[in-house]
Structure formats: structure tokens, C-alpha cells
Amino acid sequence: MQNSAVFVPHFHWDREWYEPFQVFRHRLVAALDTVLETAEANPDFRFTVDGQMAAVEDYLEMRPENRDRVKALVTGGQLAVGPWLILLDEFLCSGETIVRNLQMGWAAAAKLGGSMPIGYLPDMFGHVAQMPQILARAGIEHAALWRGVPGSVEGHAFRWRAPDGSEVRTEFLFDGYDNGLDVLLVPDQIGRALDEYAQMTAERWGDDPLLAMAGTDHNAPDPRLASWLRDAAGEQRPITIATLAEYIREHVRDDVSAVVTGELRSHVRGNILPGVLSVRLALKQRMAVAERTVDHAERINALWSRRDDSPFLALAWHKIIESTAHDSVVGSGADETSDQVEARLAEATHTARAVRDAALAEPAARVPSDGYLVANPLPFPRTSLAEVDVVAPPEGTELIATGADGSARPVQLISTAPTVLSDERMDASQLERVLRRIHRRELFGRLIDRYELTPGSLVFHLAEVPADGPFDLLILRRDVAAAAAAHPGEWRVLTLEEARATALVPVRVPASGLAGFRVEPIEVTAELATDLTPATGTDRTLSNGQVEVTVAADGTLDMTGADGTVLRGVGRLVDGGDRGDSYNYAPPGQDVLVSEPVDVTVELLENGPLRSRLRITRSYEWPAALSAERDVRGDRTVRTPVETLVEVRAGEPFVRVSTSFLNQSADHRLRFHVPLPEPAAVSAAAGQFAVTERGLTAEGGWGEYPLPTFPASSFVSAGAATVLLDHSTEYELVGEGSELAVTLLRAIGSISVNIHPLRDEPAAGEIPAPGAQDLGVRIENRLAVLPSASGWQGAHAVALAEEFRNDVLVTRGTGAAGGQLPPAETGVRVEGADVLVSSVRRLPETGIEVRLVAMSDTGSTARVTGAFTEATTVDLLGRPLGTTPVSDALELALGPWEIRTVVVR
């Protein structure tokens, strides 16, 4: 008796890739038209719509008249949809984005009859460690996937365990999501081909039925598939057609012994294409900005606004999630596709920014217009620097910042602005043209405080906040017309602004809270008392009492941390060739590594007391491109100055570092090196609700060389160095663990190359992607280096990474000038070691949802306080699990790496 076989008709739909979205959608509509017709004509036919609702939404936007047809097929079990909104790249977005993706997909599927309860992840380039917990906490017990599974899995299923211990039974698509297609190549030979395939893979299936995934990219199954399979079936060869959910529910055992814990990034059974982590830098940066902006918007809107902007926030999230598709944010598409993704992420940011700014405007109305409002998006109190535009102090005075509680803090002036905005001479007959520049009271972005009109002279005095008193533009027009008629000839028109400066102000802001301040002049006196050790600088050294940095002769940095840890040579830049493509890095056979600058200059920009900065300019001779044979770096070089801004702030235990250069070279990879005092055998990288430890190697065995380049989202730590990150980034421990290398740029010119030295199989067509070279683009990166011998936990990297990535939000008050500053206010406060707050958002008519994660292997106790009296624990789809009254604070005992969601009201 031969094994039975279950065929799962499906397609895999890349929403955008080597063609832009609308081109692929045109094909999608035709494909789903065929699917609907096939299913309605044959009640035995089944189809699985790739696990992502985006394909269905995109279809119904073009075919709205078919919604009832789709719903009937879903309800009848012939069409399996969901649970995701889109099939994402799991490493290039935040854990919160993964959750929202699942929530939006599940909700969209529910409107059509319900979601497939399978965490279908067929083509992602590896899988994050916490995915089993995300699925399990949404009530999903099964997953199905292909790439990244280690060689220890010998069957077709395993139990996938998250760091917290959550598990999902996982169907291993070991031959890919199209393993059934070869069996179908010759319709009248399906029986023979199936027997041969079953025999070849018998050890994988054991006594379970063979799963034949009958589909591939961007194509509907042949409408004759069901009849072909009926003809091939027989008593000795049972063949059925099912959705993926039906196969797992009805045809397989749940008692799987193999267990895999944590992330799946093995190359042993399929390419995981790790080069996508570093190609098209702008997409990774825009994703981080969009996620950060919508997160801030949700928090500020939930806590400080009476307006429910959920529709705008949902739109922003939808556009972010669309952009996480595994051929979108990864940058492996055509230039026009990447341009569209970048624009979509910008649109998401704009939408979220509008909500954020509108929410801030409400409390800003309670702050006088000569004051400022600061909002802290993080759930713990902090002292942060606010950069504001202020009236420059008169000679003999200095500026201080005063708060509502009467406190006074020193202010650091960092620049002054010109006071003469225009000085013009014109004939009297032209004066009317000058008046057309005035819009009610605004002129050159300021407001007219007063004006002086004398024979032959018109002087405007502008201010950000004009003195009280009326201004009548009609009277000005009348008076100027009369003066011009009385005094013909040359006139002088002078536009003056009050002396202004840019100032840094230290502000203590409560948890998720608000604080106001004014900047005022005082006579020069003794230094104000402060709880911050000043940041100071010399021509080559910066220090703040916690960390010290010295610029070496070659432009690298020697850093000393608060515990005495010393890192030497930080920021060594190493540039090498890259003959690979958007999917995989590859060094040319004759590479040239450039690590020594040809000249170095250092300039002190700021000397405290709140912030000190040095600018280092290192010029390099980088090869302009590979040679014609592609395996040699060319002889022609381009002089490339790289500016490195080094910054220490009062109170911070890390050094902020920004790099910037105009890229004039093609086919190369640039990395930022952090040498370690002692070699490290293990790195730890934070991202997607976990900190994942990795060694110096990666598991290989397929047709892809297993380079040990790995992703990190908020920080990466190795030995005595922790690097805080602004966006998802690629890193590697090199030199047998002696240096941590962070990729700043990988410039390539093709989606895929047919012959790749580190990958046997082409990842796509050899399609040019000149935009991925980033030629003529200014490449900027921002990170921070934290020297500490106690590792990421001892150095409190989880909290510090949040501070580094999330600046306070500053806006001008709009209340009456001269009024009292409102007292500081606290929002939701969360205390607990290594507790990450992933989300704070308003749920209309329900309360405020707070999602917390214990970012450690020992768990943590989280203490949540705020203006609420009741808390309901919910799963990741928002379904209530239990309600607790709250009197003083909500105490939550979080297990190791546990994700917990509560709704407070």
C-alpha cells in the first residue's frame, strides 16, 4: 500500500518584485479570476491564497463585485485565506509590526468568513526566534515554512519552540513550496511521477501522507488539475485535494518529537539570501522612521488627545506592513519597485506625523507661546536634550531654562542666527510689491512685531512671538502709499529679526509624560546647580564623567567606559569589493581592501556643558568599480571624504557616532569596525522581542555559502562592546571574533547574477538594478558605542537602545504669552529590569492597550502605573483572557522572554 498524497493547490504571490506592484496586480486579478471560476465549477477543488490577505484585498479593489463570491468560497471551505496581511521579511521590521500584520490579516479574513489557522511562512529569508510565541499567543497552533530549518530535522515536521517555551507544530516544506509541480509536468504520467517522488522522500514522510504543494510564483493552477488528479488516483494510490489547513488538521499526526528552539537561519535545506539585510540602505532607514513615527503617534494620541485618530493610524500601519513584504523592504526588486516602497513608507510616516502633531497640539495649547512643550514617548522618566530656537541673550546675560516647578537649568547655545533678513533699496513706486510678501501678519516665516515708517525708510521688526497689540495690514498699506507719494525716489526697506539662537535645554520629563519650560535671560552669575556632570571637549577628546573618547592619529576612536573598559580603534572603516547581487554578498576573486585614510582632520564643534562634538574627516581612495571581468577591483580610484560626527551628552554612558559621505563608487561594501579587547565567540543581537545569541559560523549544506552575517535591530553586543542601532542592520564577528563589523553600505547593480561564487542557484533573473549602487547618494548612518565589560544586560542595553532611538518630541506652546507653565504630567509608567514596552495605543471604547516583553532569560516583574483602575489581559488578537482590579499599580510577573498584552481602563 503506497502512501496517500494530498495536493494543495496554491500560488505564491510576490506583491511587487522585479516588476512594480500594479504590474503584478494585473496578473493577480487574472489569476484569481481563474481560481474563482475553477472552484465554482468543481466543488472538490481547493485553493490556498498564500497565507496573505493583501492578495485578496488587491484583487477585490479591482473586482469589488466578486466579494460575495470570495466570501462564499471561504465560508464553504474551498478557499483558505489569511492569517497574515502580507508575507513579510521577519528580520527587517519590528516585533510590533509582525503582530500588527497578523492582527490586520486576521481581521480582514474574518470579514470574508474566517482565517486559515496556520502560520504560513513559505518564502521568508529565515525566521525570528519569537515567531512561535507570536503565533501561539494568537491562538494559532501550527506553522508551515521552508527556509532556515536546521539539518537536525529529519522528517517533514517539528515542534518549533520560542525562547519563552511556546511551541507550534511546524510543517517543514523541505522541498520548497512548489514540490508538487514536478509531479504534474506530464498530466498522464502523474501516477508514475508521484510514486517516484514518494519513494525518493519516503524517509521524510514515514507513515504520514505526502504533501504536494501544487503551485508556484504568480500563476494560478491549471483548471484541469482536479480531473488530472482524479485520473491518477486509485485504490493503491489515494490522492486528495485540500487546503493547507485541511491537510494539517485531517491528515497528519500532532505527536512530533523533533524540537527546534529559536530562530531559523540555517542554509542547509534552502537559501536564506542574507545579503538582503544590507542592500538599499534607504529602505531600512525609512522603515525604522515609519515604525518609530507611528508608534509615537499612537502613544501621544492615546494618552494626551481627546480625538480618536484610529483610521489614520490604521492607514499608516497598513502602508508599513505592505512595505515589509519579503521582496519589498529587502530591496531585492527593480529600481521602480524600490522607489515605490520608499514612497509608501514616506506616506506612512506623513500620516502618522499628522496624528502625532495634532495630538501634541492639544496639550501645547495649555503652554504659553513663549514656552515649549516636551513629550516623552518612553514609559520611564528621563532627562533629555531639547533643541529649540530662542531669543539670543543680551550682552552680559546668559540663558536658563525654567520649569513649572520653579527649577532652573543651564542652557547651551550652539548657534546664532542672522538678524538682518533683507536690506533692499528700491524706487518708491515699488514699495507695494514688498507689501505683497506679507500674509496678514507673517513675513519670512516670522510675525511682524512692529514697523517704522519714516521718509525714505521702511523697517520691519519681526519676532516669533510678537508683543501684544494689533497689527492692521490695511492701515500699513494706506500709510505706505501716502508716504511713497509724498517722498518719491529711492527708499530703503530693512527687515530685521530679533537676535535668535539655537539652544540645547536639559528637560526632565515624566514617564510617557509631558513637561513645559521657558528659556529666559539672567545676569551672568555663578554656575547653576545641576545633577548632570558636564560634557566637555578638547581638540581631540570628549568626556562626560561616564565615558571618554579620544581621537587617534588615524581618525579612529579610543573609548573608555564607566567601568574602565577600553575599546581602541573604534570606527575603523574597511571598504572592499562586492561582485554579488541584492541577495548575496560576494567578494571579487582579487579584492582590494581599503582601511587606511590618506588624510585626517579633526575639528571641535561644541564644548559642552550639555553636549560636546568633534567632526573627523577622513579621506579614502576607493576603487570606482569592479573591472570589466567582474572578479577584479578596478584600478581607477575616487577620493572620498568621510565625515564622522562624534558626540557625548551629559548623563549618557555611550558615544554617539554618525558617518556621512557622498558615494561615488560602485560594487563595494563598507563596514564600521569595533575591535574588541578580547576575542568573542558569541554575539547577542536584539530584535523582534528577543535578544538572540549567535556564534562565529552559520550552518551550510545547500547551494549557498553560509556567511555568518546576521541581523540586529536595536543593538548588537559582543565581548565588551555594545553597539546601539538606529535601524535594522547587518553585522558580523570577524577576525576569529576579534572585531565586530557593522555594514554601513552595500552597493550592487543587479537583482540577481546567474553565476555567483557563494550561491549555486540564481535567486531571480539577472535584471539590472543600477539604483542599488546608490551612486551620487549621500550615505548617512547613526549608531552609538557603549563600552562595558558586563555585557548587554549589565549595561542596561535594552533601555539605553530605546533612549538612543527615541528622541523626545518638542513643540512650541500656543497659549497666551506670559502665562504660567502647566505642571508636568505622567502617562503610563512601566518599571522593571529589561522590560520592553512595544506598544501603547488607544482602543476605542475599550481602553489603552499596553504590550510588554521581558527581554531576558530570567523574566522580570513589571510594575505598571497610571490613571486606570482595571486591567484585562488579552491575547495578541485582542481576545480577553482575564480581568484584574487595580488599586495602586498593576504588578505583572513576566516569564523569560514573555510577551504580555494588557488593556487598562
Side-chain angles (χ1 to χ4, degrees), residues 853-875:
V853 187
M855 295 285 283
S856 78
D857 56 7
T858 58
S860 185
T861 297
R863 189 171 192 268
V864 186
T865 54
F868 53 87
T869 58
E870 184 180 82
T872 300
T873 300
V874 299
D875 71 6

Side-chain angles (χ1 to χ4, degrees), residues 362-379:
E362 295 182 46
R366 303 192 294 270
V367 176
S369 59
D370 56 344
Y372 300 85
L373 175 73
V374 179
N376 177 15
L378 300 179

Side-chain angles (χ1 to χ4, degrees), residues 41-82:
N42 185 349
D44 294 331
F45 181 77
R46 301 287 189 270
F47 190 80
T48 300
V49 193
D50 206 27
Q52 54 177 335
M53 284 302 299
V56 181
E57 288 186 351
D58 294 341
Y59 174 75
L60 290 178
E61 190 174 2
M62 295 294 104
R63 294 278 194 267
E65 68 278 9
N66 287 348
R67 174 170 290 274
D68 288 344
R69 295 174 65 194
V70 171
K71 186 172 184 179
L73 292 170
V74 173
T75 304
Q78 286 185 263
L79 206 61
V81 298

Side-chain angles (χ1 to χ4, degrees), residues 136-429:
R137 288 184 181 265
I140 297 174
E141 299 176 351
H142 298 270
L145 51 82
W146 168 30
R147 304 183 195 265
V149 178
S152 59
V153 175
E154 298 178 346
H156 69 96
F158 60 96
R159 302 208 66 80
W160 187 13
R161 183 178 296 162
D164 77 312
S166 301
E167 290 185 356
V168 289
R169 181 200 176 278
T170 302
E171 186 67 25
F172 178 24
L173 308 177
F174 59 89
D175 269 348
Y177 54 79
D178 59 355
N179 70 313
L181 284 190
D182 286 348
V183 174
L184 302 173
L185 286 177
V186 183
D188 61 3
Q189 294 294 315
I190 289 175
R192 176 196 56 76
L194 181 59
D195 289 344
E196 291 178 358
Y197 181 71
Q199 185 176 359
M200 290 168 51
T201 58
E203 291 185 0
R204 289 276 181 185
W205 302 113
D207 295 330
D208 290 335
L210 181 152
L211 170 63
M213 298 293 291
T216 188
D217 298 358
H218 318 132
N219 283 287
D222 193 294
R224 297 167 292 177
L225 174 63
S227 63
W228 292 346
L229 294 178
R230 278 195 299 269
D231 293 341
E235 293 183 3
Q236 300 300 313
R237 191 188 296 110
I239 294 176
T240 56
I241 296 179
T243 64
L244 184 62
E246 288 174 329
Y247 169 78
I248 290 174
R249 183 178 67 242
E250 300 173 9
H251 297 284
V252 299
R253 296 173 293 107
D254 195 42
D255 56 338
V256 178
S257 59
V259 176
V260 178
T261 300
E263 71 176 1
L264 306 179
R265 288 193 65 83
S266 170
H267 306 253
V268 74
R269 288 294 304 181
N271 298 335
I272 64 168
L273 310 171
V276 299
L277 299 172
S278 51
V279 73
R280 297 195 193 264
L281 169 68
L283 291 180
K284 282 64 173 176
Q285 293 175 326
R286 286 195 181 274
M287 174 61 70
V289 169
E291 290 178 321
R292 196 153 48 234
T293 307
V294 74
D295 177 42
H296 292 176
E298 283 191 329
R299 297 184 190 215
I300 301 300
N301 178 264
L303 297 173
W304 305 113
S305 174
R306 294 183 298 273
R307 173 173 171 165
D308 177 16
D309 269 331
S310 298
F312 289 94
L313 293 167
L315 174 63
W317 272 116
H318 200 287
K319 290 188 176 296
I320 289 171
I321 293 165
E322 289 176 59
S323 303
T324 65
H326 66 287
D327 285 307
S328 296
V329 69
V330 299
S332 61
D335 287 349
E336 54 190 346
T337 295
S338 294
D339 290 345
Q340 187 173 19
V341 176
E342 197 169 336
R344 189 185 303 126
L345 287 169
E347 189 176 355
T349 302
H350 302 160
T351 305
R353 189 178 73 195
V355 174
R356 180 199 67 192
D357 293 350
L360 281 173
E362 295 182 46
R366 303 192 294 270
V367 176
S369 59
D370 56 344
Y372 300 85
L373 175 73
V374 179
N376 177 15
L378 300 179
F380 50 83
R382 61 198 288 211
T383 297
S384 191
L385 298 185
E387 189 169 311
V388 293
D389 179 66
V390 298
V391 177
E395 189 173 345
T397 67
E398 61 186 14
L399 296 179
I400 60 168
T402 57
D405 59 358
S407 61
R409 287 177 173 263
V411 167
Q412 177 181 336
L413 290 182
I414 57 176
S415 67
T416 57
T419 57
V420 179
L421 300 185
S422 72
D423 187 353
E424 304 167 276
R425 295 185 183 274
M426 62 188 66
D427 188 80
S429 62

